[in-house]
Amino acid sequence: MKIAFATQDLKRVDAHFGWAKNIAIYEIGPEGHQFLEAIQFDGDLKEDGNEDKLGPKIEAIKDCAILYVAAIGGSGAARVVANNIHPMKVSQPEPIDELLVKLEGVLKGAPPPWLRKALAKGQERTLDFED
């Protein structure tokens, strides 16, 4: 599954989603993680109520299952959730590598229901009605 991180320095989750300079995207599974890409955003990213800056960010993370942020506004959170992406807020800047290792540990065990749902993102749902 793909995970996105709102970051200013590409090392820590330290950015508000709306004004993040970068979104780092990783592939993660129980056996490890791999960096996929960093998408840079420039222009006027300050906190100003301008919703236009969210569109390119939503588009960049649309195939991610989880988005880690330092903060996210109400409309940004609503748009993220509407795209079946689970937002995760960190209370203080945290190293991306540490978050990935923690998440790998959870994936090796019994992930909580919200995480199992996130893992299923992008997979075709099959229902078997035969016993």
Side-chain angles (χ1 to χ4, degrees):
M1 106 176 119
K2 290 184 181 179
I3 309 290
F5 299 90
T7 176
Q8 303 295 46
D9 62 8
L10 296 173
K11 293 180 172 72
R12 300 173 301 146
V13 175
D14 61 355
H16 183 289
F17 181 59
W19 43 265
K21 290 181 188 172
N22 304 290
I23 301 286
I25 299 178
Y26 287 77
E27 181 79 36
I28 187 168
E31 304 308 315
H33 62 271
Q34 174 183 345
F35 174 77
L36 296 178
E37 66 180 320
I39 302 164
Q40 292 188 314
F41 299 91
D42 47 8
D44 192 8
L45 298 174
K46 68 181 180 289
E47 191 173 356
D48 58 4
N50 177 3
E51 299 296 316
D52 292 340
K53 66 185 166 208
L54 295 178
K57 289 183 177 171
I58 298 290
E59 184 63 26
I61 65 168
K62 70 177 185 251
D63 58 348
C64 293
I66 300 172
L67 167 66
Y68 280 89
V69 298
I72 189 168
S75 67
R79 290 173 73 176
V80 166
V81 170
N83 281 274
N84 296 318
I85 302 164
H86 189 87
M88 296 285 292
K89 186 177 170 192
V90 297
S91 57
Q92 60 192 25
E94 288 196 48
I96 291 171
D97 284 343
E98 288 180 18
L99 291 168
L100 287 164
V101 169
K102 285 181 198 172
L103 191 53
E104 285 169 21
V106 173
L107 292 174
K108 285 179 186 173
W114 71 265
L115 186 52
R116 286 196 303 269
K117 183 177 178 184
L119 281 166
K121 181 178 177 157
Q123 295 177 1
E124 190 174 318
R125 214 170 143 198
T126 57
L127 302 173
D128 187 2
F129 293 107
E130 295 181 20
D131 288 325

